[in-house]
Amino acid sequence: MEAVIKRRSTWDTASPECTIPNSEIKELVKMTIETAASTFSSYTTRIDEHKKFWDIAIEAVRAAIPPELFEVHPKQSLEGFKNAYGAMLFFEDPENTRALEMKSPRFA
């Protein structure tokens, strides 16, 4: 698994096929989520439906930039991520972070 991670490149064309067993991918994702740093050590990271998530991301980017710019680059990249087997994007929910900032303003 380590060799696969080191070999990975964002220049590669993403594919919906995978040669790594799903069980190994699930274990790697679980380990990554459990060990990744999080805001205020809240560990609120979660995994949602892959294609649904990328549909939301695509629409958010589309709404944020002029259509002619969206068609030039972001659309292709985001569609590639959507169609990639095992593509992951980690993010923190800003609402959780704000709530934690309110509880601990000295550390915000």
Side-chain angles (χ1 to χ4, degrees):
M1 185 58 69
E2 183 178 342
V4 171
I5 293 169
K6 289 181 177 178
R7 191 175 71 230
R8 163 229 169 271
S9 171
T10 55
W11 296 104
D12 292 342
T13 301
S15 167
E17 290 90 34
C18 184
T19 58
I20 301 169
N22 282 343
S23 59
E24 285 186 43
I25 293 172
K26 287 178 183 178
E27 186 60 34
L28 178 62
V29 171
K30 181 178 181 242
M31 180 203 58
T32 302
I33 288 173
E34 289 173 351
T35 58
S38 66
T39 306
F40 286 94
S41 297
S42 61
Y43 299 98
T44 57
T45 304
R46 61 191 180 278
I47 301 173
D48 292 322
E49 296 176 50
H50 175 82
K51 291 196 182 281
K52 180 179 175 182
F53 171 80
W54 286 108
D55 285 338
I56 292 167
I58 289 167
E59 290 311 310
V61 173
R62 184 189 315 269
I65 63 175
E68 62 276 9
L69 292 179
F70 179 75
E71 295 295 327
V72 172
H73 178 68
K75 180 180 178 182
Q76 292 174 336
S77 294
L78 293 168
E79 288 288 344
F81 295 141
K82 177 182 174 183
N83 294 323
Y85 192 96
M88 293 181 284
L89 176 65
F90 288 86
F91 66 95
E92 293 291 331
D93 185 340
E95 290 300 317
N96 290 332
T97 302
R98 277 194 275 285
L100 292 166
E101 286 174 343
M102 297 299 287
K103 287 182 178 179
S104 303
R106 291 179 74 182
F107 301 104

